[in-house]
Amino acid sequence: MTRASIVVFLLVIVSATAVAQPAAGTDEYPADCDEAPLVETPTTLRGTIDVGSDVDSVRLEAQRGDYLSVRAMAGEGADTFVVSSPPDPEINFRNESGAVEHIDLNTYDYEREIAAGVEGTYEVWPQADGVLCLQIDDEGTPERLPYDWRLSLAENDPQPPEFVPASEELRDRVDALGSRVDEQQQRIERLQSLLDARNRTVSELRSRLAAKNETIEGLRSQSSGDDVTIDVTVTPTDGGQTFVSGEKARVEAEADGAATANLVVEYGSGVYELGGAGSVAVPLAETGEQSLTVRYGETTETVSIDVASSDPQSAASTPTGTAGSGPGFGLVGAAVALLAGALFARRR
Protein backbone atom coordinates (compact mmCIF):
# COMPACT_ATOMS: atom_id res chain seq x y z
CA MET A 1 0.00 0.00 0.00
CA THR A 2 1.34 3.41 -0.92
CA ARG A 3 1.78 5.74 2.01
CA ALA A 4 -0.33 8.93 1.86
CA SER A 5 1.30 12.36 1.52
CA ILE A 6 1.87 13.91 4.95
CA VAL A 7 3.30 17.06 6.47
CA VAL A 8 5.33 16.67 9.66
CA PHE A 9 5.16 19.17 12.53
CA LEU A 10 8.28 18.25 14.51
CA LEU A 11 8.53 19.69 18.05
CA VAL A 12 12.08 19.60 19.44
CA ILE A 13 13.16 20.71 22.91
CA VAL A 14 16.59 22.42 22.90
CA SER A 15 18.63 23.80 25.77
CA ALA A 16 17.26 26.86 27.53
CA THR A 17 20.74 28.19 28.30
CA ALA A 18 21.60 29.16 24.70
CA VAL A 19 18.94 30.52 22.34
CA ALA A 20 20.42 30.76 18.83
CA GLN A 21 19.29 33.60 16.58
CA PRO A 22 18.08 32.70 13.06
CA ALA A 23 20.71 32.95 10.34
CA ALA A 24 20.09 34.80 7.11
CA GLY A 25 18.60 32.70 4.35
CA THR A 26 16.46 32.87 1.29
CA ASP A 27 13.68 30.72 2.79
CA GLU A 28 11.31 32.47 5.20
CA TYR A 29 11.19 29.29 7.25
CA PRO A 30 14.53 27.43 6.91
CA ALA A 31 14.87 23.73 7.53
CA ASP A 32 17.56 23.97 10.22
CA CYS A 33 16.27 24.70 13.73
CA ASP A 34 19.39 26.76 14.47
CA GLU A 35 18.47 29.11 11.63
CA ALA A 36 14.72 29.17 12.25
CA PRO A 37 13.12 32.47 13.32
CA LEU A 38 12.12 32.84 16.96
CA VAL A 39 8.44 33.79 17.01
CA GLU A 40 6.31 35.25 19.77
CA THR A 41 2.79 34.24 20.65
CA PRO A 42 -0.01 34.71 19.93
CA THR A 43 0.66 34.49 16.20
CA THR A 44 -0.63 32.96 13.00
CA LEU A 45 1.91 31.62 10.52
CA ARG A 46 1.47 30.73 6.85
CA GLY A 47 3.81 28.89 4.55
CA THR A 48 4.12 26.61 1.54
CA ILE A 49 5.56 23.17 1.08
CA ASP A 50 7.09 23.49 -2.39
CA VAL A 51 8.94 20.20 -2.91
CA GLY A 52 9.23 16.88 -1.16
CA SER A 53 12.49 17.88 0.51
CA ASP A 54 11.11 21.20 1.78
CA VAL A 55 11.12 21.62 5.57
CA ASP A 56 9.78 24.75 7.31
CA SER A 57 10.95 25.42 10.88
CA VAL A 58 10.08 27.96 13.57
CA ARG A 59 11.10 28.25 17.24
CA LEU A 60 9.32 29.29 20.43
CA GLU A 61 10.57 29.73 23.97
CA ALA A 62 8.89 27.43 26.53
CA GLN A 63 8.90 26.97 30.27
CA ARG A 64 8.07 23.86 32.24
CA GLY A 65 4.54 24.23 33.56
CA ASP A 66 3.43 26.36 30.63
CA TYR A 67 1.73 24.98 27.58
CA LEU A 68 1.43 25.87 23.93
CA SER A 69 -1.96 25.83 22.21
CA VAL A 70 -1.73 24.79 18.57
CA ARG A 71 -4.24 25.13 15.74
CA ALA A 72 -3.07 23.56 12.46
CA MET A 73 -4.48 23.13 8.96
CA ALA A 74 -3.06 22.20 5.58
CA GLY A 75 -4.43 22.73 2.09
CA GLU A 76 -6.07 20.10 -0.05
CA GLY A 77 -2.69 19.09 -1.48
CA ALA A 78 -1.79 17.30 1.76
CA ASP A 79 -3.43 14.18 3.09
CA THR A 80 -2.39 14.69 6.74
CA PHE A 81 -0.32 16.78 9.07
CA VAL A 82 1.94 14.96 11.48
CA VAL A 83 3.21 16.63 14.69
CA SER A 84 6.36 14.91 15.92
CA SER A 85 8.61 15.22 18.97
CA PRO A 86 11.51 13.14 20.29
CA PRO A 87 10.66 10.82 23.17
CA ASP A 88 13.27 12.45 25.42
CA PRO A 89 12.66 14.95 26.96
CA GLU A 90 9.06 14.11 27.34
CA ILE A 91 6.33 16.26 25.76
CA ASN A 92 2.74 15.70 26.75
CA PHE A 93 -0.22 16.36 24.48
CA ARG A 94 -3.61 17.31 25.96
CA ASN A 95 -7.09 18.43 24.91
CA GLU A 96 -6.72 17.15 21.38
CA SER A 97 -9.43 17.72 18.82
CA GLY A 98 -9.16 16.53 15.24
CA ALA A 99 -5.70 15.09 15.98
CA VAL A 100 -4.82 11.37 15.92
CA GLU A 101 -1.86 9.80 17.70
CA HIS A 102 0.73 8.20 15.45
CA ILE A 103 4.10 6.61 16.28
CA ASP A 104 6.98 6.63 13.77
CA LEU A 105 8.64 3.24 14.14
CA ASN A 106 11.85 4.60 12.56
CA THR A 107 12.38 7.38 15.10
CA TYR A 108 9.95 6.41 17.86
CA ASP A 109 8.83 10.03 17.90
CA TYR A 110 5.38 10.83 19.19
CA GLU A 111 3.22 12.21 16.37
CA ARG A 112 -0.18 13.78 15.98
CA GLU A 113 -1.88 13.49 12.60
CA ILE A 114 -4.49 15.95 11.32
CA ALA A 115 -6.44 15.36 8.14
CA ALA A 116 -5.95 17.91 5.35
CA GLY A 117 -8.59 20.61 5.26
CA VAL A 118 -9.50 19.97 8.93
CA GLU A 119 -8.60 22.26 11.80
CA GLY A 120 -6.78 20.26 14.44
CA THR A 121 -6.22 21.68 17.91
CA TYR A 122 -4.16 20.41 20.82
CA GLU A 123 -1.95 21.50 23.70
CA VAL A 124 1.78 20.81 23.98
CA TRP A 125 3.11 20.61 27.56
CA PRO A 126 6.94 20.62 27.74
CA GLN A 127 8.41 18.86 30.76
CA ALA A 128 11.56 21.05 30.80
CA ASP A 129 12.58 24.63 30.10
CA GLY A 130 13.89 25.22 26.62
CA VAL A 131 13.13 26.30 23.10
CA LEU A 132 10.59 24.42 21.04
CA CYS A 133 11.49 23.89 17.40
CA LEU A 134 8.44 23.26 15.27
CA GLN A 135 9.26 21.61 11.94
CA ILE A 136 6.75 21.25 9.12
CA ASP A 137 7.72 18.48 6.75
CA ASP A 138 6.19 16.43 3.95
CA GLU A 139 6.67 12.71 3.76
CA GLY A 140 4.22 11.90 0.97
CA THR A 141 4.41 11.77 -2.80
CA PRO A 142 5.66 14.88 -4.66
CA GLU A 143 2.74 14.78 -7.13
CA ARG A 144 0.57 16.56 -4.57
CA LEU A 145 2.94 19.50 -4.15
CA PRO A 146 2.92 22.39 -3.67
CA TYR A 147 0.32 23.27 -1.03
CA ASP A 148 -0.08 25.84 1.74
CA TRP A 149 -0.18 25.35 5.49
CA ARG A 150 -1.40 27.51 8.37
CA LEU A 151 -0.43 27.39 12.01
CA SER A 152 -1.89 29.38 14.91
CA LEU A 153 -0.05 29.45 18.25
CA ALA A 154 -0.86 30.79 21.73
CA GLU A 155 0.80 30.37 25.12
CA ASN A 156 -1.27 29.33 28.16
CA ASP A 157 -4.46 30.05 26.23
CA PRO A 158 -6.84 27.20 25.40
CA GLN A 159 -8.03 29.09 22.31
CA PRO A 160 -5.27 29.99 19.83
CA PRO A 161 -6.18 32.61 17.17
CA GLU A 162 -8.79 31.32 14.75
CA PHE A 163 -8.08 31.07 11.06
CA VAL A 164 -9.76 33.47 8.71
CA PRO A 165 -12.04 31.47 6.41
CA ALA A 166 -10.64 30.91 2.95
CA SER A 167 -13.51 32.87 1.40
CA GLU A 168 -12.69 35.89 3.56
CA GLU A 169 -8.99 35.55 2.78
CA LEU A 170 -9.84 35.48 -0.91
CA ARG A 171 -12.07 38.50 -0.48
CA ASP A 172 -9.29 40.33 1.36
CA ARG A 173 -6.87 39.48 -1.42
CA VAL A 174 -9.35 40.67 -4.01
CA ASP A 175 -9.82 43.92 -2.08
CA ALA A 176 -6.06 44.36 -1.80
CA LEU A 177 -5.62 43.72 -5.51
CA GLY A 178 -8.48 46.13 -6.22
CA SER A 179 -6.72 48.80 -4.17
CA ARG A 180 -3.52 48.20 -6.09
CA VAL A 181 -5.41 48.42 -9.37
CA ASP A 182 -6.96 51.72 -8.24
CA GLU A 183 -3.52 53.06 -7.28
CA GLN A 184 -2.10 52.02 -10.65
CA GLN A 185 -5.06 53.60 -12.42
CA GLN A 186 -4.54 56.85 -10.54
CA ARG A 187 -0.88 56.73 -11.45
CA ILE A 188 -1.77 56.16 -15.10
CA GLU A 189 -4.14 59.13 -14.98
CA ARG A 190 -1.42 61.33 -13.47
CA LEU A 191 1.05 60.22 -16.12
CA GLN A 192 -1.57 60.84 -18.82
CA SER A 193 -2.13 64.35 -17.46
CA LEU A 194 1.61 65.01 -17.59
CA LEU A 195 1.75 63.63 -21.12
CA ASP A 196 -1.17 65.83 -22.20
CA ALA A 197 0.50 68.88 -20.66
CA ARG A 198 3.75 68.11 -22.46
CA ASN A 199 1.91 67.58 -25.73
CA ARG A 200 0.25 70.97 -25.30
CA THR A 201 3.65 72.52 -24.63
CA VAL A 202 5.05 70.87 -27.75
CA SER A 203 2.10 72.15 -29.79
CA GLU A 204 2.61 75.69 -28.46
CA LEU A 205 6.32 75.55 -29.27
CA ARG A 206 5.55 74.29 -32.76
CA SER A 207 3.08 77.14 -33.26
CA ARG A 208 5.66 79.66 -32.10
CA LEU A 209 8.26 78.11 -34.39
CA ALA A 210 5.86 78.28 -37.33
CA ALA A 211 5.13 81.95 -36.56
CA LYS A 212 8.83 82.72 -36.39
CA ASN A 213 9.40 80.91 -39.67
CA GLU A 214 6.66 83.00 -41.26
CA THR A 215 8.31 86.15 -39.89
CA ILE A 216 11.67 85.08 -41.28
CA GLU A 217 10.15 84.30 -44.68
CA GLY A 218 8.45 87.70 -44.64
CA LEU A 219 11.74 89.42 -43.88
CA ARG A 220 13.43 87.45 -46.63
CA SER A 221 10.69 88.40 -49.07
CA GLN A 222 10.98 92.02 -48.00
CA SER A 223 14.77 91.99 -48.35
CA SER A 224 14.62 90.42 -51.81
CA GLY A 225 11.51 92.19 -53.11
CA ASP A 226 11.50 94.69 -56.00
CA ASP A 227 9.07 97.07 -54.31
CA VAL A 228 11.52 98.37 -51.68
CA THR A 229 12.30 102.07 -52.10
CA ILE A 230 15.69 103.34 -50.98
CA ASP A 231 16.19 107.05 -50.27
CA VAL A 232 19.81 108.20 -50.38
CA THR A 233 21.44 111.51 -49.44
CA VAL A 234 25.16 112.23 -50.12
CA THR A 235 27.01 115.26 -48.71
CA PRO A 236 30.65 116.25 -48.21
CA THR A 237 31.79 115.49 -44.67
CA ASP A 238 33.46 118.90 -44.28
CA GLY A 239 30.15 120.71 -44.57
CA GLY A 240 31.08 122.29 -47.90
CA GLN A 241 29.53 122.03 -51.29
CA THR A 242 32.31 120.22 -53.09
CA PHE A 243 33.35 116.58 -53.09
CA VAL A 244 37.15 116.43 -53.09
CA SER A 245 39.34 113.39 -53.67
CA GLY A 246 41.15 112.31 -50.53
CA GLU A 247 38.25 113.52 -48.43
CA LYS A 248 35.05 111.64 -47.50
CA ALA A 249 31.45 111.71 -48.58
CA ARG A 250 28.73 111.09 -45.99
CA VAL A 251 26.06 108.69 -47.23
CA GLU A 252 22.70 108.59 -45.42
CA ALA A 253 19.99 106.14 -46.50
CA GLU A 254 16.78 104.42 -45.43
CA ALA A 255 14.60 101.77 -47.05
CA ASP A 256 10.87 101.72 -46.22
CA GLY A 257 11.57 101.76 -42.48
CA ALA A 258 13.74 98.64 -42.65
CA ALA A 259 16.67 98.31 -40.30
CA THR A 260 19.45 100.55 -41.56
CA ALA A 261 21.99 98.03 -40.25
CA ASN A 262 21.01 95.90 -43.28
CA LEU A 263 22.04 98.67 -45.72
CA VAL A 264 25.51 98.78 -47.25
CA VAL A 265 27.28 101.21 -49.59
CA GLU A 266 29.34 99.83 -52.43
CA TYR A 267 32.03 102.17 -53.79
CA GLY A 268 34.87 101.01 -55.93
CA SER A 269 36.11 97.74 -54.43
CA GLY A 270 34.94 98.60 -50.93
CA VAL A 271 31.72 97.84 -49.04
CA TYR A 272 30.66 100.08 -46.13
CA GLU A 273 27.90 99.29 -43.62
CA LEU A 274 25.58 102.10 -42.62
CA GLY A 275 25.05 100.62 -39.15
CA GLY A 276 22.32 101.57 -36.73
CA ALA A 277 22.86 105.31 -37.29
CA GLY A 278 21.91 104.97 -40.95
CA SER A 279 24.99 106.79 -42.21
CA VAL A 280 28.59 106.11 -43.12
CA ALA A 281 31.59 108.16 -44.30
CA VAL A 282 33.01 106.83 -47.57
CA PRO A 283 36.57 107.90 -48.55
CA LEU A 284 36.79 109.33 -52.06
CA ALA A 285 39.85 108.08 -53.90
CA GLU A 286 39.16 109.09 -57.52
CA THR A 287 38.22 112.31 -59.31
CA GLY A 288 35.56 112.91 -61.84
CA GLU A 289 32.15 111.26 -61.92
CA GLN A 290 31.90 108.58 -59.23
CA SER A 291 29.07 106.09 -58.46
CA LEU A 292 28.01 105.03 -54.96
CA THR A 293 25.51 102.16 -54.77
CA VAL A 294 23.32 101.58 -51.71
CA ARG A 295 22.12 97.96 -51.42
CA TYR A 296 19.30 96.38 -49.37
CA GLY A 297 18.98 92.71 -50.21
CA GLU A 298 18.46 92.52 -53.95
CA THR A 299 17.35 96.18 -54.20
CA THR A 300 19.92 98.84 -55.08
CA GLU A 301 19.98 102.60 -55.56
CA THR A 302 22.94 104.27 -57.30
CA VAL A 303 23.98 107.90 -56.84
CA SER A 304 26.56 109.67 -59.03
CA ILE A 305 28.65 112.59 -57.82
CA ASP A 306 31.44 114.73 -59.32
CA VAL A 307 34.63 114.55 -57.31
CA ALA A 308 37.09 117.42 -57.71
CA SER A 309 40.83 117.15 -57.41
CA SER A 310 42.44 118.17 -54.19
CA ASP A 311 44.42 120.73 -56.28
CA PRO A 312 42.97 124.19 -55.40
CA GLN A 313 43.17 125.21 -59.06
CA SER A 314 40.59 122.56 -59.98
CA ALA A 315 37.04 123.88 -59.97
CA ALA A 316 34.87 120.75 -60.14
CA SER A 317 32.42 120.37 -57.30
CA THR A 318 29.09 118.80 -56.55
CA PRO A 319 26.48 120.08 -54.06
CA THR A 320 24.44 118.03 -51.65
CA GLY A 321 21.95 115.72 -53.40
CA THR A 322 19.13 113.27 -52.66
CA ALA A 323 18.43 110.19 -54.79
CA GLY A 324 15.14 108.36 -54.96
CA SER A 325 14.13 105.99 -57.65
CA GLY A 326 15.60 108.24 -60.35
CA PRO A 327 19.07 107.66 -61.81
CA GLY A 328 20.95 110.69 -60.35
CA PHE A 329 20.63 114.09 -58.80
CA GLY A 330 22.19 117.51 -59.15
CA LEU A 331 21.82 121.21 -58.95
CA VAL A 332 23.30 123.48 -61.64
CA GLY A 333 24.63 126.67 -60.03
CA ALA A 334 25.48 129.92 -61.72
CA ALA A 335 29.10 130.46 -62.60
CA VAL A 336 30.60 133.49 -61.00
CA ALA A 337 33.41 134.97 -63.10
CA LEU A 338 34.93 136.87 -60.21
CA LEU A 339 35.34 133.74 -58.12
CA ALA A 340 38.33 131.41 -58.38
CA GLY A 341 36.21 128.57 -59.83
CA ALA A 342 32.77 127.54 -60.94
CA LEU A 343 30.40 125.40 -58.80
CA PHE A 344 28.54 122.59 -60.51
CA ALA A 345 25.94 120.18 -59.21
CA ARG A 346 24.40 117.39 -61.14
CA ARG A 347 21.56 115.19 -60.09
CA ARG A 348 21.20 112.09 -62.07
Side-chain angles (χ1 to χ4, degrees):
M1 178 179 296
T2 302
R3 184 179 179 181
S5 176
I6 57 175
V7 173
V8 178
F9 286 81
L10 175 62
L11 288 174
V12 182
I13 297 292
V14 297
S15 174
T17 59
V19 179
Q21 296 298 321
T26 57
D27 193 350
E28 182 179 4
Y29 302 107
D32 194 337
C33 284
D34 292 336
E35 299 179 358
L38 186 65
V39 300
E40 297 182 354
T41 58
T43 185
T44 298
L45 308 176
R46 292 177 175 83
T48 301
I49 298 298
D50 299 309
V51 295
S53 60
D54 189 13
V55 178
D56 293 341
S57 302
V58 295
R59 298 180 303 159
L60 305 96
E61 291 184 345
Q63 301 290 330
R64 185 177 183 277
D66 295 336
Y67 67 94
L68 178 69
S69 295
V70 178
R71 187 188 305 272
M73 175 181 287
E76 295 300 328
D79 285 337
T80 58
F81 278 112
V82 177
V83 180
S84 304
S85 63
D88 184 24
E90 182 181 0
I91 296 177
N92 295 332
F93 295 88
R94 302 178 186 177
N95 300 322
E96 300 175 64
S97 175
V100 179
E101 181 179 3
H102 176 76
I103 298 178
D104 189 337
L105 298 179
N106 295 320
T107 63
Y108 295 97
D109 291 346
Y110 295 99
E111 301 177 347
R112 293 298 183 271
E113 297 182 359
I114 303 171
V118 175
E119 288 188 4
T121 59
Y122 48 88
E123 297 174 0
V124 177
W125 290 75
Q127 300 304 299
D129 296 345
V131 175
L132 294 176
C133 180
L134 177 60
Q135 290 184 303
I136 305 169
D137 193 6
D138 182 85
E139 296 182 355
T141 58
E143 289 79 7
R144 290 184 164 278
L145 303 177
Y147 57 83
D148 298 331
W149 56 263
R150 291 185 293 178
L151 193 66
S152 180
L153 305 172
E155 185 178 359
N156 299 325
D157 186 345
Q159 294 295 328
E162 295 185 358
F163 296 137
V164 177
S167 59
E168 294 185 14
E169 286 187 349
L170 180 60
R171 183 166 52 251
D172 292 342
R173 293 181 61 185
V174 170
D175 292 341
L177 291 175
S179 298
R180 292 183 60 186
V181 169
D182 292 340
E183 292 176 358
Q184 294 297 328
Q185 184 63 36
Q186 293 175 1
R187 183 181 180 187
I188 291 173
E189 291 175 356
R190 289 194 299 268
L191 293 175
Q192 186 63 48
S193 298
L194 292 175
L195 180 60
D196 293 341
R198 291 184 180 180
N199 287 338
R200 287 193 296 270
T201 301
V202 171
S203 298
E204 292 176 358
L205 292 176
R206 286 177 176 172
S207 298
R208 293 179 183 178
L209 179 61
K212 290 184 178 181
N213 289 336
E214 291 178 1
T215 302
I216 293 173
E217 291 299 327
L219 293 175
R220 288 177 178 174
S221 299
Q222 182 178 0
S223 65
S224 62
D226 297 332
D227 57 346
V228 177
T229 301
I230 303 176
D231 294 326
V232 182
T233 300
V234 183
T235 59
T237 57
D238 59 2
Q241 297 295 317
T242 304
F243 296 104
V244 180
S245 65
E247 300 295 332
K248 296 180 179 180
R250 180 171 300 281
V251 180
E252 297 177 281
E254 60 181 13
D256 291 343
T260 56
N262 295 327
L263 296 171
V264 296
V265 178
E266 299 173 350
Y267 171 62
S269 61
V271 178
Y272 307 89
E273 297 180 355
L274 271 74
S279 66
V280 65
V282 178
L284 301 173
E286 303 293 337
T287 61
E289 185 177 322
Q290 303 294 312
S291 297
L292 295 91
T293 300
V294 179
R295 179 182 296 278
Y296 179 72
E298 299 298 327
T299 303
T300 61
E301 187 66 36
T302 301
V303 175
S304 296
I305 61 174
D306 285 332
V307 181
S309 174
S310 59
D311 186 350
Q313 300 300 321
S314 299
S317 64
T318 302
T320 301
T322 300
S325 59
F329 73 99
L331 177 62
V332 179
V336 181
L338 298 177
L339 298 176
L343 300 177
F344 294 95
R346 177 184 304 174
R347 181 174 182 179
R348 301 181 60 182

